[in-house]
Amino acid sequence: MSDSTTQKPVAIMQDDATPLAMDGAMDIGKFLEQRKQLSLQERLVLVDQVAALLDGLYVHLPVKRAMYAVDPIRRLQLLKLRLERDIAKGDKVEPAEQDDLWFHREMIETLTSVRDLHTLYVLPPPFAAAIAFVPFQIECCFDEGVRKYIVTNIIDGLDWFTRPRDFVPGVEVLQWNDVEMARAVEIVGESNSGSNPDARLARGLARLTIRPLAKALPPDEETVTIRCQNRAGVLPDLRVPWHIVVLKDADMVPLDGSIVVGKTTGLAAGLDYETDLIRSLTKRLYSTLYSRKACKWAPIPIDKAAPRKGIDNVKPVDVRQFRESIQANTFNCDGVSYGRIRLRTFKVSSAEELQQFVAEFARLVELMPEKGLIIDIRDNPGGCIQVGEKLLQLLTPHEIEPEGAQCIATPLSRWLCDKHPGFFNWFKSVESALATRTQYSLAQPLTDDCNDIGQRYYGPVILITSGLCYSTADIFAAGFKDHNIGKVLGVDRFTGAGGAEVLTYSNLLGALKKETNIQDIPFKDLPGGVDLRFAVRRMLRVGENAGIQLEDLGVEADIPYQMSVADLLWDNVDLLRKAVDVLKEEACYGLVQVGPVERAEKTVCITIETQNLVQLDIAIDGWKSPSRAVGTELSENKYEAILPPDGKGETLEIRGFSKDGALVAVRRVSLSKAAPVQD
């Protein structure tokens, strides 16, 4: 962290990370002077390796060719011919051909053509650790059905940016570089890998003012000219230069997708790296939580005189772990209390953290008011697939079926399934698919047990999504909908449509090299610090949508919603109101253990508080006791359950039914700590 006496403007990347010196920002020309260019031979190696990887392991290649009429393999073959001709020229190569910017651009465009944010060409240093930005943020909303682009955050006090007095949060942006805003956002989105129109527009807006350069070259224009208006009229055009900052440590922007050969972590990565980084940067640039009094720059505060619209008494709920990933609060709407949990990412780094994340979410949902819970995953870039799938059980009485994952059937895929422990279960299926000329292996789950805890929240639940929900967030939204947990309220019509497990090339190669019994590894080190990410196993939905791929299609919202100006400036006040209106139409139930379980020789006794239930079924390790009728009013009663004939018992399960006979509430209780009955 920066010293408390420093006067230099800094943006804190992580709580324990080296600060990013914002006054060390440079213009595009100066930044490009720092790079070390790739030789023609190095470029040739890269083309060969990327082509081999796409052809042999990229799981979506057949579908991408069909959906988007693209052929990245052929494009790479043509690029290889061009490089071979340049190498044959020797010293006669034109200066423009010697510069490698055109090569990087061609590689980026080739992978962008498949419209898959999991599969990307990662630029070498200094690009990999660099961020291009202008010091303000623009977000989209609707005013009486008309789409508008509003400045929501501004950094003030930078040496290279003097903010006009009228340029404050809330002004509307009309033009970007003399292009009407809707078209400007569309242009930026078209250069990105979004799988559907909603995702491309959402990503175009996210990348409009802040662009990680790991997967994209610096902007072609050196400055941005914007035209804004406020209530008084159109403001003078504002001209702002792009600036680039380089992180002190490239490890601060990890690409995720790490694996370990021979000792697998057991975790499957599903992350949109760019959105994750933009989310992290935006929060630390503009959140008052991360503002530093020692810094001379600061985000301009937004007028907090919000239109309350029946929403008040907002109280934060203490999050003990994963505060970067989870925020929670309760609030009142028309005098009734509701809960809201924001899941900003599903990232964990170990199996232990996975369990801790699930346990923390379980603790939080049990603290939420019973009238309704809002789960908000807008702009969540994903993370660990197992986390996303294991959280769903806490919200429903029904068992969760994890999505199935498929490998592509190629000789290289067979080799990986034979050598890497994380893929062993797919080996026979891939081998059989090759023999029968089938395109994919059978689908098998990546998550072993999605039902080890069971339901912990019994009120109605609504899920809020956006076009920037990607990968594990897509999988979570699909599971939420496929298991009929509740309605999906979307600020965009579809989620980002990323349905796959992702690997990083350097992590895969490094892990394979550590496994001494693997011979003839068919991968080479990539020159110049270049890296690759690619989708290796695709996910298939379950339930009524069983077998439908998640990639390219995403999850459609049950209830479309258009963000308002009040949402952008006053903490989603209209969005919350809309979510509450939906929750009011749903029934809520109660099934809570009160006090400890008491254990006798042949029975156990448990006190249960119930609401809106008419019948309870109680069983210990599947050994059922007689059903019990209960009143629908809130009540507390003591029940006795019969132990199995062997006198042992590990888990007591209570199943609650509604008036129409539907299973609506389930609670599992461990008997390992049951207290003996006192005489």
Side-chain angles (χ1 to χ4, degrees), residues 68-326:
Y68 303 116
V70 297
D71 191 345
I73 305 300
R74 178 58 180 159
R75 189 165 176 172
L76 290 169
Q77 290 171 343
L78 294 173
L79 179 56
K80 181 178 180 179
L81 289 174
R82 178 178 175 179
L83 290 169
E84 288 175 338
R85 286 196 298 268
D86 288 341
I87 291 172
K89 293 178 183 177
D91 296 336
K92 297 180 180 180
V93 177
E94 297 293 331
E97 300 296 314
Q98 294 176 4
D99 191 294
D100 64 359
L101 283 182
W102 71 267
F103 173 78
H104 290 314
R105 189 172 291 110
E106 181 66 23
M107 295 296 286
I108 291 169
E109 290 176 359
T110 298
L111 293 187
T112 299
S113 70
V114 301
R115 300 199 180 282
D116 179 3
L117 286 161
H118 281 143
T119 302
L120 56 96
Y121 174 83
V122 183
L123 289 160
F127 298 99
I131 311 295
F133 73 104
V134 289
F136 51 86
Q137 183 184 17
I138 300 173
E139 296 183 75
C140 176
C141 66
F142 290 82
D143 185 11
E144 297 182 352
V146 178
R147 186 188 297 268
K148 293 187 176 182
Y149 295 89
I150 305 297
V151 173
T152 54
N153 290 297
I154 305 169
I155 296 176
D156 208 3
L158 294 170
D159 294 338
W160 46 272
F161 171 63
T162 301
R163 178 184 64 85
R165 188 172 183 177
D166 292 335
F167 187 64
V168 295
V171 300
E172 180 185 358
V173 185
L174 303 175
Q175 292 183 352
W176 178 275
N177 284 339
D178 297 324
V179 178
E180 188 266 332
M181 272 299 296
R183 176 56 183 155
V185 171
E186 186 179 20
I187 291 171
V188 177
E190 287 171 351
S191 65
N192 204 274
S193 302
S195 298
N196 59 59
D198 282 347
R200 286 195 288 278
L201 286 176
R203 295 180 191 286
L205 185 57
R207 298 183 75 248
L208 194 65
T209 60
I210 183 167
R211 302 183 189 180
L213 300 185
K215 58 162 287 188
L217 293 172
D220 292 324
E221 70 279 8
E222 293 189 357
T223 61
V224 170
T225 301
I226 62 171
R227 180 168 298 170
C228 304
Q229 72 175 8
N230 58 19
R231 292 179 181 177
V234 177
L235 304 177
D237 287 358
L238 176 62
R239 189 175 176 87
V240 185
W242 281 101
H243 271 65
I244 296 175
V245 289
V246 179
L247 305 184
K248 298 299 183 183
D249 185 351
D251 291 338
M252 293 164 61
V253 284
L255 291 179
D256 204 355
S258 59
I259 60 172
V260 180
V261 171
K263 187 181 178 182
T264 179
T265 64
L267 302 182
L271 180 73
D272 170 12
Y273 158 71
E274 182 180 70
T275 298
D276 185 46
L277 184 55
I278 290 176
R279 175 196 61 81
S280 178
L281 284 164
T282 300
K283 181 176 181 180
R284 287 160 178 83
L285 284 173
Y286 300 118
S287 172
T288 55
L289 176 66
Y290 288 90
S291 63
R292 302 291 188 249
K293 292 182 179 179
C295 302
K296 63 183 180 182
W297 71 266
I300 296 176
I302 295 173
D303 179 10
K304 292 301 182 181
R308 300 175 72 177
K309 301 189 178 182
I311 293 178
D312 54 22
N313 198 29
V314 179
K315 295 181 179 179
V317 176
D318 179 46
V319 177
R320 296 173 181 174
Q321 292 180 287
F322 306 100
R323 290 187 179 94
E324 287 289 299
S325 305
I326 310 172

Side-chain angles (χ1 to χ4, degrees), residues 141 294 391 432 498:
C141 66
L391 294 185
S432 175

Side-chain angles (χ1 to χ4, degrees), residues 371-608:
K371 290 296 184 180
L373 173 61
I374 299 167
I375 305 293
D376 188 347
I377 62 168
R378 285 175 297 153
D379 304 357
N380 185 318
C384 174
I385 291 174
Q386 286 95 332
V387 168
E389 295 200 299
K390 289 175 77 70
L391 294 185
L392 293 168
Q393 63 181 304
L394 302 165
L395 306 172
T396 176
H398 303 287
E399 289 204 347
I400 298 299
E401 179 186 355
E403 291 191 354
Q406 290 180 305
C407 293
I408 195 167
T410 65
L412 187 57
S413 178
R414 178 189 180 280
W415 182 91
L416 183 64
C417 292
D418 184 41
K419 301 300 183 183
H420 187 278
F423 292 81
F424 283 172
N425 290 343
W426 280 260
F427 175 76
K428 289 184 178 179
S429 181
V430 169
E431 192 170 51
S432 175
L434 283 171
T436 58
R437 303 193 72 175
T438 304
Q439 206 163 59
Y440 291 103
S441 72
L442 293 177
Q444 301 184 67
L446 294 171
T447 306
D448 293 332
D449 191 354
C450 291
N451 303 286
D452 53 339
I453 300 174
Q455 189 177 12
R456 283 295 182 267
Y457 185 75
Y458 303 96
V461 186
I462 188 170
L463 180 68
I464 304 180
T465 62
S466 73
L468 290 179
C469 292
Y470 197 76
S471 200
T472 298
D474 266 309
I475 294 167
F476 180 84
F480 188 93
K481 191 165 185 176
D482 292 343
H483 292 91
N484 298 308
I485 295 173
K487 299 291 186 182
V488 177
L489 175 64
V491 301
D492 298 298
R493 185 181 173 193
F494 291 94
T495 58
E501 178 194 8
V502 59
L503 292 183
T504 300
Y505 184 95
S506 60
N507 290 335
L508 173 63
L509 180 56
L512 290 171
K513 287 181 176 180
K514 292 179 181 178
E515 187 68 15
T516 56
N517 63 343
I518 296 180
Q519 304 295 324
D520 302 322
I521 297 174
F523 305 108
K524 297 180 181 179
D525 289 309
L526 300 181
V530 171
D531 212 338
L532 300 169
R533 279 169 62 81
F534 59 98
V536 67
R537 285 185 280 214
R538 73 171 189 169
M539 309 301 292
L540 302 182
R541 294 180 67 173
V542 299
E544 295 180 356
N545 298 297
I548 296 177
Q549 71 173 36
L550 192 53
E551 180 73 20
D552 296 303
L553 303 178
V555 179
E556 186 174 8
D558 299 305
I559 306 166
Y561 176 81
Q562 296 179 338
M563 295 286 284
S564 69
V565 176
D567 285 325
L568 297 188
L569 299 181
W570 295 298
D571 198 22
N572 306 291
V573 61
D574 288 332
L575 176 62
L576 293 180
R577 181 84 213 194
K578 178 65 176 180
V580 166
D581 288 343
V582 177
L583 292 173
K584 286 179 179 178
E585 302 299 319
E586 304 293 331
C588 60
Y589 304 95
L591 183 57
V592 180
Q593 175 189 348
V594 180
V597 178
E598 297 179 329
R599 185 165 189 155
E601 182 179 355
K602 295 183 179 180
T603 62
V604 297
C605 290
I606 184 170
T607 300
I608 306 169

Side-chain angles (χ1 to χ4, degrees), residues 2 6-12 19-23 158 284-285 290 292 294-297:
S2 61
T6 184
Q7 295 300 308
K8 293 184 177 181
V10 296
I12 304 301
L20 169 63
M22 292 180 62
D23 61 348
L158 294 170
R284 287 160 178 83
L285 284 173
Y290 288 90
R292 302 291 188 249
C295 302
K296 63 183 180 182
W297 71 266

